[in-house]
Amino acid sequence: MEPLYQQTHKQVHEVQSHMGRLETADKQSLDLENEIQASIDQIFSRLERLEILSSKEPPNKRQNAKLRVDQLKYDVQHLQTALRNFQHQRYAREQQERQREELLSRTFTTNDSDTTIPMDESLQFNSSLQKVHHGMDDLIGGGHSILEGLRAQRLTLKGTQKKILDIANMLGLSNTVMRLIEKRAFQDKYFMIGGMLLTCVVMFLVVQYLT
């Protein structure tokens, strides 16, 4: 068992030395990786043989022999993990380099579908929104004009009512006629207020459902 153990132990140290060269191997790292993987496979094969031999050692040496084999197995498993991590990192680097080269070598044209920004829908939406805003401005302006007209009519009605009262007083009209005139003026006042409220409600609904 001892000669095989020494050979395996020596081979583990050689693999550890090769692993240290991987970072500086550059493009030749693939060949070195294959060489290291072959050595690791050979070591695992020898470890299986060593486990069998350690179980045949005398009882007073068997435990120590098993511990030595287990230590070698742990070292080799660690080397295998390190090699796989290096291979994964190398693959990732190569993938990034390929993508960068493809991007640098690609020629873009003015009609390239990948570089065309879909602006038509955004422009149409913006145009429609501006039209709605202009329509709202027109509605608000029309409502303001209506309110101004109602205020003017209210002032006119007040002036007319005063003149009628003055004339009635001058002509000595009866109290019944005066009450009728006041009732009509009162009704006209409510008509004006109702029209103003209706205009405000229409403007509110337009703003609520068109924006």
Side-chain angles (χ1 to χ4, degrees), residues 3-111:
L4 182 59
Y5 174 83
Q6 293 296 334
Q7 292 176 2
T8 307
H9 188 269
K10 180 180 179 182
Q11 192 172 12
V12 169
H13 281 285
E14 290 177 352
V15 172
Q16 290 174 341
S17 176
H18 292 332
M19 287 292 298
R21 292 165 47 198
L22 274 178
E23 294 295 336
T24 58
D26 296 332
K27 294 183 179 180
Q28 289 76 26
S29 63
L30 187 59
D31 296 334
L32 186 57
E33 288 173 24
N34 294 332
E35 180 181 347
I36 292 174
Q37 185 61 61
S39 298
I40 290 175
D41 293 340
Q42 186 178 13
I43 292 172
F44 275 123
S45 178
R46 288 182 175 180
L47 286 173
E48 292 177 359
R49 178 63 179 166
L50 283 172
E51 286 180 340
I52 296 173
L53 293 176
S54 64
S55 64
K56 296 180 180 180
E57 288 287 314
N60 59 337
K61 295 182 180 180
R62 189 178 304 163
Q63 185 66 26
N64 184 47
K66 187 176 184 304
L67 289 175
R68 294 169 68 189
V69 173
D70 289 342
Q71 181 62 45
L72 283 179
K73 184 184 293 185
Y74 173 80
D75 292 339
V76 177
Q77 289 173 346
H78 180 74
L79 290 172
Q80 180 70 79
T81 301
L83 178 61
R84 289 175 180 172
N85 290 337
F86 179 84
Q87 290 172 336
H88 177 73
Q89 293 174 359
R90 176 180 57 77
Y91 176 79
R93 287 195 303 268
E94 292 175 353
Q95 186 72 12
Q96 291 176 356
E97 290 176 359
R98 283 195 297 269
Q99 292 176 353
R100 183 168 57 251
E101 290 176 357
E102 290 176 359
L103 182 62
L104 293 175
S105 61
R106 183 175 179 181
T107 302
F108 294 98
T109 63
T110 55
N111 294 325

Side-chain angles (χ1 to χ4, degrees), residues 136 203-211:
M136 289 302 303
M203 292 178 63
F204 173 77
L205 292 176
V206 169
V207 172
Q208 182 72 18
Y209 292 102
L210 292 182
T211 58

Side-chain angles (χ1 to χ4, degrees), residues 161 164-165 175-189:
Q161 180 185 7
I164 292 174
L165 290 175
N175 291 332
T176 301
V177 176
M178 294 292 294
R179 283 196 296 270
L180 289 174
I181 294 173
E182 290 178 354
K183 184 179 179 180
R184 179 58 184 272
F186 187 74
Q187 291 176 350
D188 291 341
K189 178 180 180 181

